[in-house]
Coordinates of all heavy atoms in Angstrom, one line a residue:
M1 N 27.1 7.9 30.5 CA 26.3 6.7 30.2 C 27.0 5.4 30.2 O 26.6 4.4 30.8 CB 25.4 7.0 29.0 CG 24.4 6.0 28.8 SD 23.0 6.4 29.8 CE 21.7 5.5 29.0
E2 N 28.1 5.4 29.4 CA 28.8 4.2 29.3 C 29.5 3.8 30.6 O 29.6 2.6 30.9 CB 29.9 4.3 28.2 CG 30.4 3.1 27.7 CD 31.3 3.2 26.4 OE1 30.8 3.8 25.5 OE2 32.4 2.6 26.5
A3 N 29.9 4.8 31.4 CA 30.6 4.6 32.6 C 29.6 3.8 33.6 O 30.0 3.1 34.5 CB 31.2 5.8 33.3
Q4 N 28.4 4.1 33.5 CA 27.3 3.5 34.3 C 27.0 2.2 33.8 O 26.7 1.3 34.7 CB 26.1 4.5 34.3 CG 25.0 3.9 35.1 CD 23.7 4.8 35.2 OE1 23.7 5.8 34.4 NE2 22.7 4.4 35.8
K5 N 27.0 1.9 32.6 CA 26.6 0.6 32.1 C 27.6 -0.5 32.4 O 27.3 -1.6 32.7 CB 26.4 0.6 30.6 CG 25.1 1.3 30.2 CD 25.0 1.1 28.6 CE 23.7 1.9 28.2 NZ 23.5 1.8 26.7
E6 N 28.9 -0.1 32.5 CA 30.0 -1.2 32.7 C 29.8 -1.7 34.2 O 29.8 -3.0 34.3 CB 31.4 -0.5 32.6 CG 32.4 -1.6 32.8 CD 33.8 -1.0 32.4 OE1 33.9 0.0 31.6 OE2 34.7 -1.5 33.0
P7 N 29.7 -1.0 35.2 CA 29.4 -1.5 36.5 C 28.1 -2.4 36.6 O 28.1 -3.5 37.3 CB 29.3 -0.4 37.5 CG 30.0 0.7 36.9 CD 29.8 0.5 35.4
E8 N 27.0 -2.0 35.9 CA 25.9 -2.8 35.9 C 26.1 -4.1 35.2 O 25.5 -5.1 35.6 CB 24.8 -1.9 35.2 CG 24.2 -0.8 36.0 CD 23.3 0.0 35.2 OE1 22.8 -0.3 34.1 OE2 22.8 1.0 35.8
A9 N 26.7 -4.1 34.1 CA 27.1 -5.4 33.4 C 27.9 -6.3 34.2 O 27.7 -7.5 34.2 CB 27.8 -5.0 32.0
N10 N 28.9 -5.7 35.0 CA 29.7 -6.6 35.8 C 28.9 -7.1 37.0 O 29.0 -8.3 37.4 CB 30.9 -5.8 36.5 CG 31.9 -5.4 35.6 OD1 32.2 -6.2 34.6 ND2 32.7 -4.3 35.7
L11 N 28.0 -6.4 37.4 CA 27.0 -6.9 38.5 C 26.1 -8.1 38.0 O 26.0 -9.1 38.7 CB 26.1 -5.9 39.0 CG 25.1 -6.2 40.1 CD1 25.9 -6.7 41.3 CD2 24.3 -5.1 40.5
I12 N 25.6 -7.9 36.8 CA 24.8 -9.0 36.2 C 25.7 -10.3 35.9 O 25.3 -11.4 36.2 CB 24.1 -8.5 34.9 CG1 23.1 -7.5 35.2 CG2 23.7 -9.7 34.1 CD1 22.6 -6.7 34.0
K13 N 27.0 -10.0 35.5 CA 27.8 -11.1 35.2 C 28.1 -11.9 36.5 O 28.1 -13.1 36.6 CB 29.1 -10.6 34.6 CG 30.2 -11.6 34.3 CD 31.4 -11.1 33.6 CE 32.5 -12.1 33.4 NZ 33.7 -11.5 32.9
R14 N 28.4 -11.1 37.6 CA 28.7 -11.8 38.9 C 27.5 -12.6 39.4 O 27.6 -13.6 40.0 CB 29.1 -10.7 39.9 CG 30.4 -10.0 39.6 CD 31.6 -10.9 39.5 NE 32.8 -10.2 39.0 CZ 33.4 -10.4 37.8 NH1 32.9 -11.4 37.1 NH2 34.5 -9.7 37.5
R15 N 26.3 -12.0 39.2 CA 25.1 -12.7 39.7 C 25.0 -14.0 38.9 O 24.6 -15.1 39.5 CB 23.8 -11.8 39.5 CG 23.7 -10.7 40.5 CD 22.5 -9.9 40.3 NE 22.4 -8.9 41.3 CZ 21.7 -7.9 41.2 NH1 20.9 -7.6 40.1 NH2 21.7 -6.9 42.1
K16 N 25.1 -14.0 37.6 CA 25.0 -15.3 36.8 C 26.1 -16.2 37.2 O 25.8 -17.4 37.3 CB 25.2 -14.9 35.3 CG 24.0 -14.2 34.8 CD 24.0 -13.9 33.3 CE 22.8 -13.3 32.8 NZ 22.8 -13.1 31.4
E17 N 27.3 -15.8 37.6 CA 28.4 -16.7 38.0 C 27.9 -17.3 39.3 O 28.2 -18.6 39.5 CB 29.7 -15.9 38.2 CG 30.3 -15.6 36.8 CD 31.6 -14.7 37.0 OE1 31.8 -14.2 38.1 OE2 32.3 -14.5 35.9
T18 N 27.4 -16.5 40.2 CA 26.9 -17.1 41.5 C 25.9 -18.1 41.4 O 25.9 -19.1 42.0 CB 26.5 -15.9 42.4 OG1 27.5 -14.9 42.6 CG2 26.0 -16.4 43.8
Q19 N 24.9 -17.8 40.5 CA 23.9 -18.8 40.1 C 24.4 -20.1 39.6 O 24.0 -21.2 40.0 CB 22.9 -18.3 39.2 CG 21.9 -17.3 39.8 CD 20.9 -16.8 38.7 OE1 21.4 -16.6 37.5 NE2 19.7 -16.6 39.0
A20 N 25.4 -20.0 38.7 CA 26.0 -21.1 38.1 C 26.8 -22.0 39.2 O 26.6 -23.2 39.2 CB 27.0 -20.7 37.0
M21 N 27.4 -21.3 40.1 CA 28.2 -22.0 41.2 C 27.2 -22.7 42.1 O 27.4 -23.8 42.5 CB 29.1 -21.1 41.9 CG 30.2 -20.6 41.2 SD 31.3 -21.9 40.5 CE 31.9 -22.6 42.0
R22 N 26.1 -22.1 42.4 CA 25.0 -22.6 43.3 C 24.5 -23.8 42.6 O 24.2 -24.9 43.2 CB 23.9 -21.7 43.6 CG 24.3 -20.7 44.7 CD 23.2 -19.9 45.1 NE 23.5 -18.9 46.1 CZ 23.2 -17.6 46.0 NH1 22.5 -17.2 45.1 NH2 23.7 -16.8 46.9
S23 N 24.3 -23.8 41.3 CA 23.7 -25.0 40.6 C 24.7 -26.0 40.6 O 24.3 -27.3 40.8 CB 23.4 -24.5 39.2 OG 22.9 -25.6 38.4
L24 N 26.0 -25.8 40.4 CA 26.9 -26.8 40.4 C 27.0 -27.5 41.7 O 27.2 -28.7 41.9 CB 28.3 -26.3 40.0 CG 28.6 -26.0 38.5 CD1 29.9 -25.4 38.3 CD2 28.6 -27.3 37.7
H25 N 27.0 -26.7 42.8 CA 27.0 -27.2 44.2 C 25.9 -28.1 44.5 O 26.0 -29.2 45.0 CB 27.1 -26.0 45.1 CG 27.2 -26.5 46.6 ND1 26.1 -26.4 47.4 CD2 28.2 -26.9 47.3 CE1 26.5 -26.8 48.6 NE2 27.7 -27.2 48.6
N26 N 24.7 -27.7 44.0 CA 23.5 -28.5 44.3 C 23.6 -29.8 43.5 O 23.2 -30.8 44.0 CB 22.2 -27.8 43.9 CG 22.0 -26.6 44.8 OD1 22.3 -26.6 46.0 ND2 21.2 -25.6 44.4
T27 N 24.1 -29.7 42.3 CA 24.2 -31.0 41.4 C 25.2 -31.9 42.2 O 24.9 -33.1 42.2 CB 24.6 -30.6 40.0 OG1 23.7 -29.8 39.4 CG2 24.9 -31.9 39.2
A28 N 26.3 -31.4 42.6 CA 27.3 -32.2 43.3 C 26.8 -32.9 44.6 O 27.0 -34.1 44.8 CB 28.6 -31.4 43.6
R29 N 25.9 -32.1 45.3 CA 25.4 -32.7 46.4 C 24.4 -33.8 46.1 O 24.3 -34.9 46.7 CB 24.7 -31.7 47.3 CG 25.7 -30.7 48.1 CD 25.1 -29.7 48.7 NE 24.0 -30.1 49.7 CZ 23.0 -29.3 50.1 NH1 23.0 -28.0 49.7 NH2 22.2 -29.8 51.0
M30 N 23.6 -33.6 45.1 CA 22.7 -34.7 44.6 C 23.4 -35.9 44.1 O 23.0 -37.0 44.4 CB 21.7 -34.1 43.5 CG 20.7 -33.1 44.1 SD 19.8 -32.3 42.7 CE 19.0 -33.8 42.0
M31 N 24.5 -35.7 43.4 CA 25.3 -36.8 42.8 C 25.9 -37.7 43.9 O 26.2 -38.8 43.8 CB 26.2 -36.3 41.8 CG 25.7 -35.9 40.6 SD 26.7 -35.0 39.4 CE 28.1 -36.1 39.2
E32 N 26.4 -36.9 45.0 CA 27.0 -37.6 46.1 C 26.1 -38.6 46.8 O 26.5 -39.6 47.2 CB 27.5 -36.5 47.1 CG 28.1 -37.0 48.3 CD 28.5 -35.9 49.3 OE1 27.7 -35.0 49.5 OE2 29.7 -35.9 49.8
N33 N 24.8 -38.3 46.8 CA 23.8 -39.1 47.5 C 23.1 -40.0 46.5 O 22.3 -40.8 47.0 CB 22.7 -38.2 48.2 CG 23.4 -37.4 49.3 OD1 24.3 -37.9 50.0 ND2 23.0 -36.2 49.3
S34 N 23.4 -40.0 45.2 CA 22.7 -40.8 44.3 C 23.7 -41.5 43.2 O 24.0 -40.8 42.3 CB 21.6 -40.0 43.5 OG 21.0 -40.8 42.5
P35 N 24.1 -42.6 43.4 CA 25.0 -43.3 42.4 C 24.4 -43.4 41.0 O 25.0 -43.4 40.1 CB 25.2 -44.7 43.0 CG 24.8 -44.6 44.4 CD 23.8 -43.5 44.6
V36 N 23.0 -43.6 41.0 CA 22.3 -43.6 39.7 C 22.5 -42.3 39.0 O 22.7 -42.3 37.7 CB 20.9 -44.0 39.9 CG1 20.1 -43.9 38.6 CG2 20.8 -45.4 40.5
L37 N 22.3 -41.2 39.6 CA 22.4 -39.9 39.0 C 23.9 -39.7 38.6 O 24.2 -39.2 37.4 CB 22.1 -38.7 40.0 CG 22.1 -37.4 39.5 CD1 21.3 -37.1 38.2 CD2 21.8 -36.3 40.6
M38 N 24.8 -40.2 39.4 CA 26.2 -40.1 38.9 C 26.4 -40.9 37.7 O 27.1 -40.4 36.7 CB 27.1 -40.6 40.1 CG 28.7 -40.6 39.8 SD 29.2 -38.9 39.7 CE 30.9 -39.1 40.0
R39 N 25.9 -42.0 37.5 CA 26.1 -42.8 36.4 C 25.4 -42.1 35.2 O 26.0 -42.1 34.1 CB 25.3 -44.2 36.6 CG 25.0 -45.0 35.4 CD 26.3 -45.7 34.8 NE 27.0 -46.5 35.6 CZ 26.7 -47.8 35.9 NH1 25.6 -48.3 35.4 NH2 27.5 -48.5 36.7
L40 N 24.3 -41.5 35.3 CA 23.7 -40.8 34.2 C 24.5 -39.7 33.8 O 24.6 -39.4 32.5 CB 22.3 -40.3 34.7 CG 21.2 -41.3 34.8 CD1 20.0 -40.8 35.4 CD2 20.9 -42.1 33.5
K41 N 25.2 -38.9 34.6 CA 26.1 -37.8 34.3 C 27.3 -38.3 33.6 O 27.7 -37.7 32.6 CB 26.4 -37.1 35.5 CG 25.4 -36.2 36.3 CD 24.8 -35.1 35.4 CE 25.8 -33.9 35.6 NZ 25.4 -32.7 34.8
E42 N 27.8 -39.5 34.0 CA 29.0 -40.0 33.4 C 28.6 -40.4 31.9 O 29.4 -40.2 31.0 CB 29.5 -41.2 34.2 CG 30.3 -40.8 35.4 CD 30.8 -41.9 36.1 OE1 30.2 -42.9 36.1 OE2 31.9 -41.7 36.9
L43 N 27.5 -41.1 31.8 CA 27.0 -41.5 30.5 C 26.8 -40.4 29.5 O 27.1 -40.4 28.3 CB 25.8 -42.5 30.5 CG 26.1 -43.8 31.2 CD1 24.7 -44.6 31.4 CD2 27.1 -44.7 30.4
K44 N 26.3 -39.4 30.1 CA 26.0 -38.1 29.2 C 27.4 -37.5 28.8 O 27.5 -37.1 27.7 CB 25.3 -37.1 30.1 CG 24.8 -35.8 29.3 CD 23.8 -36.2 28.2 CE 23.3 -35.0 27.5 NZ 22.5 -35.3 26.4
A45 N 28.4 -37.6 29.7 CA 29.7 -37.0 29.3 C 30.3 -37.9 28.3 O 30.9 -37.4 27.3 CB 30.6 -36.9 30.6
L46 N 30.2 -39.2 28.4 CA 30.7 -40.2 27.5 C 30.0 -39.9 26.1 O 30.7 -40.0 25.1 CB 30.5 -41.6 27.9 CG 31.0 -42.7 27.1 CD1 32.6 -42.5 26.9 CD2 30.6 -44.1 27.6
E47 N 28.8 -39.6 26.1 CA 28.0 -39.3 24.9 C 28.6 -38.2 24.2 O 28.8 -38.1 22.9 CB 26.5 -39.2 25.2 CG 25.7 -38.9 24.0 CD 24.3 -38.7 24.3 OE1 24.0 -37.9 25.2 OE2 23.4 -39.4 23.8
R48 N 28.8 -37.1 25.0 CA 29.4 -35.9 24.4 C 30.8 -36.1 23.8 O 31.1 -35.5 22.8 CB 29.5 -34.7 25.4 CG 28.1 -34.1 25.6 CD 28.2 -32.9 26.5 NE 27.8 -33.3 27.8 CZ 28.4 -33.1 29.0 NH1 29.5 -32.4 29.0 NH2 27.9 -33.6 30.0
V49 N 31.6 -36.8 24.5 CA 33.0 -37.1 24.0 C 32.9 -37.9 22.8 O 33.6 -37.6 21.7 CB 33.8 -37.8 25.1 CG1 35.0 -38.4 24.5 CG2 34.1 -36.9 26.2
T50 N 32.1 -39.0 22.7 CA 32.1 -39.8 21.6 C 31.4 -39.2 20.3 O 31.7 -39.5 19.2 CB 31.4 -41.2 21.8 OG1 30.0 -40.9 22.3 CG2 32.1 -42.0 22.9
A51 N 30.7 -38.2 20.6 CA 30.0 -37.5 19.5 C 31.0 -36.6 18.8 O 30.9 -36.4 17.5 CB 28.9 -36.5 19.9
R52 N 32.2 -36.4 19.4 CA 33.2 -35.4 18.7 C 34.4 -36.2 18.2 O 35.3 -35.6 17.6 CB 33.6 -34.4 19.8 CG 32.6 -33.5 20.2 CD 33.2 -32.5 21.2 NE 32.1 -31.5 21.5 CZ 32.2 -30.8 22.6 NH1 33.2 -30.8 23.4 NH2 31.2 -29.9 22.7
I53 N 34.4 -37.5 18.3 CA 35.6 -38.3 17.9 C 35.1 -39.2 16.7 O 33.9 -39.6 16.7 CB 36.3 -38.9 18.9 CG1 35.5 -39.9 19.6 CG2 37.0 -37.9 19.8 CD1 36.1 -40.7 20.7
D54 N 36.1 -39.6 15.8 CA 35.7 -40.5 14.8 C 35.8 -42.0 15.3 O 35.0 -42.9 14.7 CB 36.6 -40.4 13.6 CG 36.4 -39.0 12.8 OD1 35.3 -38.5 12.9 OD2 37.3 -38.5 12.4
R55 N 36.6 -42.3 16.2 CA 36.9 -43.7 16.6 C 37.2 -43.7 18.0 O 38.0 -42.9 18.6 CB 38.0 -44.2 15.7 CG 38.4 -45.6 16.0 CD 39.5 -46.1 15.0 NE 39.9 -47.4 15.5 CZ 41.1 -47.9 15.1 NH1 41.9 -47.2 14.2 NH2 41.5 -49.1 15.5
I56 N 36.8 -44.8 18.6 CA 37.1 -45.0 20.1 C 37.4 -46.5 20.4 O 36.7 -47.4 19.7 CB 36.0 -44.6 21.1 CG1 36.5 -44.6 22.5 CG2 34.7 -45.3 20.8 CD1 35.5 -44.0 23.4
S57 N 38.5 -46.8 21.1 CA 38.8 -48.2 21.3 C 38.4 -48.4 22.9 O 38.8 -47.6 23.7 CB 40.2 -48.4 21.3 OG 40.6 -48.3 19.9
V58 N 37.5 -49.5 23.0 CA 37.1 -49.7 24.4 C 37.7 -51.1 24.8 O 37.5 -52.1 24.1 CB 35.6 -49.8 24.4 CG1 35.0 -50.2 25.8 CG2 35.0 -48.4 24.0
Y59 N 38.4 -51.1 26.0 CA 38.9 -52.4 26.5 C 38.1 -52.9 27.6 O 37.6 -52.1 28.4 CB 40.3 -52.1 27.0 CG 41.3 -51.6 25.9 CD1 41.6 -50.2 25.8 CD2 41.9 -52.5 25.0 CE1 42.5 -49.8 24.8 CE2 42.8 -52.0 24.0 CZ 43.0 -50.7 24.0 OH 43.9 -50.3 22.9
G60 N 37.7 -54.1 27.5 CA 36.8 -54.6 28.4 C 35.4 -54.7 27.8 O 34.4 -55.1 28.5
G61 N 35.2 -54.2 26.6 CA 33.9 -54.3 26.1 C 32.9 -53.2 26.5 O 33.3 -52.5 27.5
L62 N 31.8 -53.0 25.8 CA 30.8 -52.0 26.2 C 30.3 -52.3 27.7 O 30.1 -51.4 28.4 CB 29.7 -52.1 25.2 CG 28.6 -51.0 25.4 CD1 29.3 -49.6 25.4 CD2 27.5 -51.1 24.3
A63 N 30.1 -53.6 28.0 CA 29.6 -53.9 29.4 C 30.6 -53.4 30.4 O 30.2 -52.9 31.5 CB 29.4 -55.4 29.5
G64 N 31.9 -53.5 30.1 CA 32.9 -53.0 31.0 C 32.7 -51.5 31.2 O 32.9 -50.9 32.3
V65 N 32.5 -50.8 30.1 CA 32.4 -49.3 30.1 C 31.1 -49.0 30.9 O 31.2 -48.1 31.9 CB 32.3 -48.7 28.7 CG1 31.8 -47.2 28.8 CG2 33.5 -48.8 28.1
L66 N 30.0 -49.6 30.7 CA 28.7 -49.3 31.3 C 28.8 -49.8 32.8 O 28.2 -49.0 33.6 CB 27.6 -50.0 30.6 CG 27.4 -49.5 29.2 CD1 26.2 -50.2 28.6 CD2 27.1 -48.0 29.1
N67 N 29.4 -50.9 33.2 CA 29.4 -51.3 34.4 C 30.5 -50.8 35.4 O 30.4 -50.7 36.6 CB 29.5 -52.9 34.6 CG 28.2 -53.5 33.9 OD1 27.2 -53.0 34.0 ND2 28.5 -54.6 33.2
N68 N 31.6 -50.3 34.8 CA 32.7 -49.9 35.7 C 32.9 -48.4 35.8 O 33.8 -48.0 36.4 CB 34.0 -50.5 35.0 CG 34.0 -52.0 35.2 OD1 33.5 -52.5 36.2 ND2 34.6 -52.7 34.2
L69 N 32.0 -47.6 35.0 CA 32.1 -46.1 35.3 C 31.8 -45.8 36.7 O 32.5 -45.1 37.4 CB 31.1 -45.4 34.3 CG 31.5 -45.4 32.9 CD1 30.4 -44.8 32.0 CD2 32.7 -44.6 32.6
V70 N 30.7 -46.4 37.2 CA 30.4 -46.2 38.6 C 29.9 -47.5 39.1 O 29.1 -48.2 38.5 CB 29.2 -45.2 38.8 CG1 28.7 -45.1 40.1 CG2 29.6 -43.8 38.3
K71 N 30.4 -47.9 40.2 CA 30.0 -49.2 40.8 C 28.8 -48.8 41.7 O 28.8 -48.1 42.6 CB 31.1 -49.7 41.7 CG 32.4 -50.0 41.1 CD 32.4 -51.4 40.6 CE 33.9 -51.7 40.1 NZ 33.9 -52.5 38.9
L72 N 27.6 -49.4 41.2 CA 26.4 -49.2 42.0 C 26.3 -50.0 43.2 O 26.6 -51.3 43.1 CB 25.2 -49.3 41.1 CG 25.0 -48.3 40.0 CD1 23.8 -48.7 39.2 CD2 24.9 -46.9 40.4
Q73 N 26.1 -49.5 44.3 CA 26.0 -50.3 45.6 C 24.7 -50.0 46.3 O 24.3 -48.9 46.2 CB 27.2 -50.0 46.5 CG 28.6 -50.3 45.9 CD 29.7 -49.9 46.9 OE1 29.5 -49.3 47.8 NE2 30.9 -50.2 46.4
P74 N 24.1 -51.1 46.8 CA 22.8 -50.8 47.5 C 23.0 -49.8 48.7 O 24.1 -49.8 49.3 CB 22.4 -52.1 48.0 CG 23.5 -53.0 47.8 CD 24.5 -52.5 46.9
A75 N 22.2 -49.0 49.0 CA 22.2 -48.1 50.1 C 22.2 -48.8 51.4 O 21.6 -49.9 51.5 CB 21.0 -47.1 50.1
V76 N 23.1 -48.4 52.3 CA 23.2 -48.9 53.6 C 22.1 -48.5 54.5 O 22.0 -47.2 54.7 CB 24.6 -48.8 54.2 CG1 24.7 -49.3 55.6 CG2 25.7 -49.3 53.3
S77 N 21.3 -49.3 55.0 CA 20.2 -48.9 55.8 C 20.7 -48.6 57.3 O 21.5 -49.4 57.9 CB 19.0 -49.8 55.9 OG 19.5 -51.2 56.4
S78 N 20.4 -47.5 58.0 CA 20.7 -47.3 59.3 C 19.7 -47.6 60.3 O 18.8 -46.7 60.6 CB 21.2 -45.8 59.4 OG 20.2 -44.9 59.0
Q79 N 19.7 -48.8 60.7 CA 18.7 -49.3 61.7 C 19.2 -49.4 63.1 O 20.2 -49.7 63.3 CB 18.0 -50.5 61.2 CG 17.2 -50.3 59.9 CD 16.5 -51.6 59.5 OE1 16.7 -52.7 60.1 NE2 15.7 -51.5 58.4

């Protein structure tokens, strides 16, 4: 019985890993095409980091952090 459960558990684990990789790939593709989404992901990461530390020094001020994480540029129209 135990010998049968191990391969089944491995199969479930591999399926979950595949799903996670597909999700990451889809997220990366969406971020590639959307600077705003990229900015939101960066701010979320910054939020997670700052939640775990007692003190942070920011050079260039908060505006520098918010504006320089990702340079938002208007989409180039292909006409």
Side-chain angles (χ1 to χ4, degrees):
M1 185 78 161
E2 196 169 312
Q4 182 181 358
K5 286 185 180 184
E6 188 174 332
E8 290 174 6
N10 284 336
L11 180 61
I12 291 169
K13 181 180 177 182
R14 299 295 175 245
R15 284 181 181 161
K16 288 183 179 184
E17 288 174 350
T18 301
Q19 282 180 320
M21 291 304 293
R22 282 189 183 133
S23 178
L24 282 173
H25 181 255
N26 289 337
T27 300
R29 286 176 52 203
M30 290 174 61
M31 288 170 56
E32 180 180 42
N33 296 320
S34 175
V36 173
L37 182 58
M38 180 69 160
R39 165 70 61 79
L40 290 172
K41 292 292 277 181
E42 286 181 333
L43 291 174
K44 186 67 176 172
L46 182 61
E47 179 183 50
R48 277 187 263 133
V49 167
T50 57
R52 294 184 175 161
I53 58 176
D54 293 329
R55 181 176 170 195
I56 186 169
S57 297
V58 177
Y59 300 98
L62 185 58
V65 171
L66 296 176
N67 293 327
N68 294 325
L69 287 173
V70 173
K71 301 265 189 226
L72 294 179
Q73 298 175 353
V76 177
S77 61
S78 55
Q79 293 181 354

